[in-house]
Amino acid sequence: MAGSAISALAGTLAGSPIEMMSLKPASTPVLADAREDQPFLVLGQEVYEDHNAAISHCCFSSIGSLVASADTEGVVKVWSFTPNQTKATLHCKSQLLCMGWANRVDRLLLLGTSTGKLRLYDTETKRTYCDVESEPGYPRVVSVTSSPNGQLLVYGCAAMVQSDIGSSPTAKSYADPLPEIHSPRRKRRPECTGALVCWDVKAMKTERSLPLDPAPTAVNCSAFNHNGNLLVTGGADGMIRLFDMTQCDVLMGWQAHVGEVYCVQFSCDETTVFSIGEDG
């Protein structure tokens, strides 16, 4: 389902139904390396150079007035682009695994770490608003998303994986050989267990954990629909699950990818789910 939808979308963008080039003003010079079949046109570009290491995460705030970015050295910057100015800087001592913003509040930054914490950081006061402890046994907060009204956070937490060995004395080693996928050179890591947790922002407490059938798995990504009644998730087991958030239960689930799901998103009319997986 997801694969055919993406193919259809790619065909639409590349064809004549969407005339992206019509957005170009007549006075705008044509770039030397621009191609006629390229569906998007860069109208302007700003360079932000406050990071000294490779960028690992980057996302707009809910209203779009701010950008948060993080690098591989654990430095997180919050900045505006009109004008280009740094608003806040913080340092994460533990590995940053995910980043997001709370909706309806254009100041609350969400940071998931490898040490069992989901940090809510107030970018205006430049203070930590709250540290949420992840579920016992799942110290890695690998995904987080906010409901449209900003009252509920849903985060995925996971067990330790092979890449964490050496960084934690409690990490487990995997002695069994890794299964091969697609080619002998590409090896998939063992399937990671996890939990999907709902956290109430107003009450500042865990509301519930959502069911992950047929077995608990790490949820790498998630997205709400426009009113927050539906939630779609992508798991380390390759499955996409659709939740009815009014009942807090799974409506349906399907095996979408061979390997992990990295990104999921509803289409604009919310009749299709787009996904990106480890299988390419």
Side-chain angles (χ1 to χ4, degrees), residues 183-205:
S183 70
R185 294 184 179 181
R186 184 175 184 182
K187 297 183 180 294
R188 179 186 170 193
R189 68 175 180 232
E191 200 168 286
C192 184
T193 59
L196 188 61
V197 183
C198 299
W199 197 80
D200 191 313
V201 177
K202 187 175 181 179
M204 296 183 65
K205 66 177 183 179

Side-chain angles (χ1 to χ4, degrees), residues 45-117:
Q45 180 173 302
E46 298 288 339
V47 179
Y48 183 76
E49 299 179 323
D50 273 19
H51 285 285
N52 296 316
I55 305 298
S56 58
H57 299 81
C58 188
C59 58
F60 281 103
S61 62
S62 59
I63 299 176
S65 60
L66 297 173
V67 176
S69 55
D71 61 35
T72 53
E73 292 181 349
V75 178
V76 179
K77 301 276 187 178
V78 177
W79 47 282
S80 64
F81 48 90
T82 52
N84 195 324
Q85 183 180 9
T86 300
K87 298 293 187 180
T89 301
L90 65 149
H91 298 264
C92 290
K93 296 181 180 179
S94 54
Q95 183 184 7
L96 185 66
L97 301 180
C98 64
M99 174 188 287
W101 290 84
N103 285 321
R104 296 292 181 92
V105 182
D106 208 40
R107 58 188 287 181
L108 206 56
L109 183 62
L110 314 174
L111 304 169
T113 70
S114 61
T115 55
K117 290 185 184 296

Side-chain angles (χ1 to χ4, degrees), residues 7-277:
S7 298
L9 177 66
T12 303
L13 291 178
S16 58
I18 299 180
E19 296 292 335
M20 297 300 294
M21 298 300 290
S22 64
L23 297 176
K24 179 175 71 67
S27 59
T28 302
V30 178
L31 300 179
D33 58 348
R35 299 179 305 174
E36 292 183 359
D37 61 344
Q38 190 172 358
F40 301 105
L41 179 67
V42 178
L43 298 179
Q45 180 173 302
E46 298 288 339
V47 179
Y48 183 76
E49 299 179 323
D50 273 19
H51 285 285
N52 296 316
I55 305 298
S56 58
H57 299 81
C58 188
C59 58
F60 281 103
S61 62
S62 59
I63 299 176
S65 60
L66 297 173
V67 176
S69 55
D71 61 35
T72 53
E73 292 181 349
V75 178
V76 179
K77 301 276 187 178
V78 177
W79 47 282
S80 64
F81 48 90
T82 52
N84 195 324
Q85 183 180 9
T86 300
K87 298 293 187 180
T89 301
L90 65 149
H91 298 264
C92 290
K93 296 181 180 179
S94 54
Q95 183 184 7
L96 185 66
L97 301 180
C98 64
M99 174 188 287
W101 290 84
N103 285 321
R104 296 292 181 92
V105 182
D106 208 40
R107 58 188 287 181
L108 206 56
L109 183 62
L110 314 174
L111 304 169
T113 70
S114 61
T115 55
K117 290 185 184 296
L118 173 62
R119 173 170 295 180
L120 281 64
Y121 180 80
D122 191 325
T123 59
E124 288 193 6
T125 62
K126 298 179 176 61
R127 295 177 179 273
T128 298
Y129 176 73
C130 179
D131 275 334
V132 181
E133 297 287 342
S134 66
E135 292 291 286
Y138 302 120
R140 303 169 64 248
V141 181
V142 295
S143 65
V144 61
T145 189
S146 171
S147 63
N149 61 15
Q151 296 181 4
L152 187 70
L153 302 180
V154 177
Y155 68 90
C157 51
M160 304 297 288
V161 294
Q162 190 175 14
S163 59
D164 295 314
I165 298 172
S167 62
S168 171
T170 60
K172 296 181 180 180
S173 62
Y174 293 102
D176 297 333
L178 304 182
E180 296 181 355
I181 174 173
H182 291 304
S183 70
R185 294 184 179 181
R186 184 175 184 182
K187 297 183 180 294
R188 179 186 170 193
R189 68 175 180 232
E191 200 168 286
C192 184
T193 59
L196 188 61
V197 183
C198 299
W199 197 80
D200 191 313
V201 177
K202 187 175 181 179
M204 296 183 65
K205 66 177 183 179
T206 298
E207 188 175 276
R208 64 176 57 86
S209 293
L210 297 175
L212 293 171
D213 297 325
T217 187
V219 173
N220 295 330
C221 49
S222 58
F224 281 96
N225 73 330
H226 75 284
N227 59 12
N229 289 341
L230 296 177
L231 176 75
V232 63
T233 67
D237 57 357
M239 287 191 64
I240 291 177
R241 295 171 174 87
L242 185 65
F243 290 86
D244 179 356
M245 296 304 291
T246 63
Q247 302 294 325
C248 296
D249 203 2
V250 181
L251 283 176
M252 60 186 301
W254 62 95
Q255 193 71 39
H257 294 275
V258 178
E260 301 193 30
V261 184
Y262 292 145
C263 182
V264 290
Q265 189 67 51
F266 283 104
S267 61
C268 293
D269 60 4
E270 298 182 355
T271 60
T272 305
V273 172
F274 302 110
S275 65
I276 300 174

